[in-house]
Amino acid sequence: MVKNNAWNFDATYTTGDLLYASSTSELSKLGIGSTGEYLTIAAGLPDWASVSGGSQSSQTFSLFSECDPGYSGDQNGFTSILFTGTQSPDSGHPGVIALSTGTSSSGTSSLSYFYGTVLNNGTYSLDIVAKIPTLSTSAQRFNAYIGFFDTYPVVNGCYFYYRDNVNSGRWQIKNTSASTTTTASTTTTVDTDWHKFSVRVNADASSVAYYIDDVQVSNSPITTNIPTTIVACGFAIDKDVGTTARTLLGDYVQLDIALTSARS
């Protein structure tokens, strides 16, 4: 040991060592931990520990079309497109899914992933990047849903909701369990830009927080009517008035799950 004033320094180190004060006058080192371990406190000093109990799962469904530019195909109410023709290219979103209501005044279209999700036994973090190119109006009115839901009208879900004559054209957030809904009105006005919509369910499914572009919206979280049955992740649009097609665009859906208890 080499003493410099009141501090003692260990002269031998290994790559990854961490230095910490083990007393008011001495520095000690903590060797590098193993992959998957995290830094914690034991007996008042830094230490490494293994993650216990839970496991992590992450699923991403990218909606980038695996096709030649200019391809456009319709199937079951949605169109997979690489922007072409009269639609402007978007370098940040080169391929998307476009849900269309078609020309029916009651047209519907939805896209969902990870069906079989049950919001318990861990934290659930859902991110969906989406865009409404043309807003709902009294002449061409529609409903838009983004988040967790089973069907629509939603029976079970945690989701963002939009309709032009509801909440003055601002987003609402909703928890629905067995068709009973808790609704909170946000102060965020719906626009025609791309946004990331995030839904965060805590570990015991007692609270659901909602974010747009990583900023928690007003009146979030919601702590009631959190569904306990199977839901999926996705987005949907349905028409109420008018025969001009309206669309809802989606770029990607990502779901991260940190289980409280490991899979058996």
Side-chain angles (χ1 to χ4, degrees), residues 12 16 46 53 67 76 89 109 133 140-141 145 151 167 201 204 214 216 224-225 228 230 259:
T12 303
C67 59
N76 298 329
S109 186
Q140 304 294 332
R141 179 157 288 151
Y145 314 79
T151 184
N167 192 32
V201 184
D204 61 355
D214 298 319
Q216 188 166 196
T224 55
N225 286 313
T228 58
I230 291 174
L259 297 177

Side-chain angles (χ1 to χ4, degrees), residues 57-143:
S57 176
S58 179
Q59 295 289 334
T60 302
F61 195 99
S62 176
L63 303 181
F64 284 38
S65 301
E66 296 181 0
C67 59
D68 294 331
Y71 170 85
S72 179
D74 293 323
Q75 183 179 5
N76 298 329
F78 69 87
T79 305
S80 177
I81 61 173
L82 286 174
F83 286 114
T84 185
T86 59
Q87 302 187 68
S88 300
D90 186 336
S91 61
H93 309 272
V96 303
I97 290 293
L99 304 184
S100 175
T101 62
T103 56
S104 169
S105 60
S106 59
T108 65
S109 186
S110 67
L111 205 59
S112 61
Y113 306 93
F114 317 127
Y115 183 75
T117 301
V118 180
L119 304 178
N120 58 21
N121 188 35
T123 59
Y124 287 72
S125 300
L126 173 64
D127 296 318
I128 297 177
V129 172
K131 173 181 178 177
I132 300 176
T134 304
L135 299 181
S136 174
T137 65
S138 60
Q140 304 294 332
R141 179 157 288 151
F142 61 85
N143 307 286

Side-chain angles (χ1 to χ4, degrees), residues 26-258:
E26 186 168 346
L27 286 176
S28 296
K29 67 180 181 181
L30 175 65
I32 190 171
S34 300
T35 300
E37 289 185 323
Y38 66 95
L39 191 62
T40 186
I41 301 297
L45 297 174
D47 198 5
W48 295 107
S50 299
V51 176
S52 61
S55 60
Q56 182 80 24
S57 176
S58 179
Q59 295 289 334
T60 302
F61 195 99
S62 176
L63 303 181
F64 284 38
S65 301
E66 296 181 0
C67 59
D68 294 331
Y71 170 85
S72 179
D74 293 323
Q75 183 179 5
N76 298 329
F78 69 87
T79 305
S80 177
I81 61 173
L82 286 174
F83 286 114
T84 185
T86 59
Q87 302 187 68
S88 300
D90 186 336
S91 61
H93 309 272
V96 303
I97 290 293
L99 304 184
S100 175
T101 62
T103 56
S104 169
S105 60
S106 59
T108 65
S109 186
S110 67
L111 205 59
S112 61
Y113 306 93
F114 317 127
Y115 183 75
T117 301
V118 180
L119 304 178
N120 58 21
N121 188 35
T123 59
Y124 287 72
S125 300
L126 173 64
D127 296 318
I128 297 177
V129 172
K131 173 181 178 177
I132 300 176
T134 304
L135 299 181
S136 174
T137 65
S138 60
Q140 304 294 332
R141 179 157 288 151
F142 61 85
N143 307 286
Y145 314 79
I146 302 173
F148 292 105
F149 55 86
D150 49 4
T151 184
Y152 56 96
V154 177
V155 177
N156 295 283
C158 303
Y159 55 99
F160 290 88
Y161 173 78
Y162 162 66
R163 180 184 172 98
D164 69 286
N165 62 340
V166 175
N167 192 32
S168 300
R170 301 181 181 93
W171 286 106
Q172 287 189 319
I173 51 177
K174 294 175 177 280
N175 286 358
T176 300
S177 178
S179 297
T180 300
T181 301
T182 300
T183 299
S185 294
T186 80
T187 57
T188 304
T189 300
V190 179
D191 59 31
T192 57
D193 294 329
W194 286 101
H195 295 286
K196 181 172 77 171
F197 298 87
S198 304
V199 183
R200 305 283 185 257
V201 184
N202 69 351
D204 61 355
S206 62
S207 177
V208 182
Y210 294 84
Y211 299 77
I212 296 179
D213 298 328
D214 298 319
V215 177
Q216 188 166 196
V217 300
S218 56
N219 298 315
S220 168
I222 299 177
T223 59
T224 55
N225 286 313
I226 300 170
T228 58
T229 189
I230 291 174
V231 294
C233 315
F235 40 98
I237 182 171
D238 64 57
K239 199 76 177 293
D240 276 351
V241 178
T243 57
T244 300
R246 289 292 181 257
T247 57
L248 173 58
L249 306 183
D251 190 343
Y252 73 79
V253 176
Q254 177 170 320
L255 177 63
D256 293 284
I257 307 169

